Amino acid sequence: MKKHYFIAVPIEEHHQQLIQNWITTYKNKLPFQSWVHPNDYHITLAFLGDVGEDEKLELLVDKIKQTVQFVPQYELFLKGIDVFGKPDFPRIFWAGLKESTNLQQFQKQVFDRCQEVGFQLDKKPFRPHITLARKWKSEEPFRKWSQLDHAFEGSSSHFKVEKIHLYQTNLNKIPKYEVVETFLLQTLESVRE
């Protein structure tokens, strides 16, 4: 079985629990076929797919290490929930994030490093999100309701991006994403030095 790889911002345990608490409250209204394990929550920056050559992956790891040494830590904020796919029968149910220039710029840097090494990446515009569930399974159409737009409001919805991971997908395990490499972003003090 081929192993797929991707680079992503992990969601720390406190915010995994925050999302899980929200899901527990509303899950009976949301008949999706499969729910993502909380340890697998992440924000994908670049999906690499089947890597094939180990040398290519090693070269990418070196390039990402060089890049993150100049990237300071920054904050992100959870904001609302939405879907991808047909509005009535969506394929992906996800948590959103407030717009972040830091995240957009960082994703572009990671994306560019991947392309420099020779990875062919999806050219669709970057839509940062945290996948929560897949495949609507009810015969009744999905309908958006106000709690989706206002999910996470008034809670401790902000979190610091301190690192990113290179993940490997293991389809036969739960959780299914395994950390292969961790890249630490810099504190403001270390960037100034």
Side-chain angles (χ1 to χ4, degrees), residues 3-177:
K3 292 183 177 176
H4 291 166
Y5 293 84
F6 62 95
I7 298 172
V9 174
I11 306 304
E12 299 302 335
E13 191 174 343
H14 171 76
H15 286 84
Q16 291 175 11
Q17 191 59 54
L18 179 71
I19 293 168
Q20 237 358 73
N21 290 345
W22 189 93
I23 288 170
T24 299
T25 303
Y26 296 106
K27 194 172 182 178
N28 64 338
K29 291 184 174 186
L30 299 164
F32 281 90
Q33 185 172 317
S34 63
W35 289 86
V36 174
H37 189 282
N39 291 348
D40 283 339
Y41 293 158
H42 65 272
I43 304 160
T44 302
L45 302 176
F47 180 75
L48 308 175
D50 177 27
V51 170
E53 314 156 34
D54 286 344
E55 299 81 25
K56 198 171 168 182
L57 199 57
E58 288 168 16
L59 184 56
L60 178 60
V61 165
D62 288 341
K63 283 193 172 278
I64 299 295
K65 281 180 181 173
Q66 291 168 21
T67 300
V68 298
Q69 67 181 329
F70 301 108
V71 177
Q73 298 175 4
Y74 56 92
E75 287 196 333
L76 293 176
F77 294 81
L78 293 171
K79 182 185 177 198
I81 290 180
D82 210 338
V83 296
F84 289 140
K86 295 178 183 175
D88 288 350
F89 298 93
R91 60 183 174 75
I92 303 288
F93 184 70
W94 52 268
L97 301 154
K98 285 187 182 175
E99 194 170 315
S100 166
T101 303
N102 288 327
L103 178 61
Q104 293 286 339
Q105 290 172 347
F106 186 40
Q107 186 274 337
K108 182 173 182 346
Q109 289 178 299
V110 170
F111 191 93
D112 290 348
R113 297 304 85 77
C114 294
Q115 288 193 309
E116 287 167 14
V117 173
F119 286 102
Q120 302 298 311
L121 304 181
D122 190 343
K123 300 273 197 301
K124 287 183 201 153
F126 178 50
R127 298 251 336 248
H129 64 280
I130 302 163
T131 299
L132 306 178
R134 293 180 176 88
K135 295 183 185 164
W136 183 255
K137 68 176 184 179
S138 174
E139 292 181 11
E140 293 294 317
F142 172 83
R143 293 286 178 246
K144 253 188 125 176
W145 25 283
S146 65
Q147 285 91 342
L148 297 181
D149 288 332
H150 301 291
F152 316 117
E153 279 184 8
S155 62
S156 56
S157 66
H158 67 285
F159 59 98
K160 190 175 276 191
V161 177
E162 300 175 339
K163 62 189 169 193
I164 59 172
H165 295 312
L166 170 64
Y167 288 99
Q168 170 184 296
T169 302
N170 297 302
L171 295 176
N172 56 346
K173 293 183 181 177
I174 296 175
K176 68 180 179 179
Y177 303 134

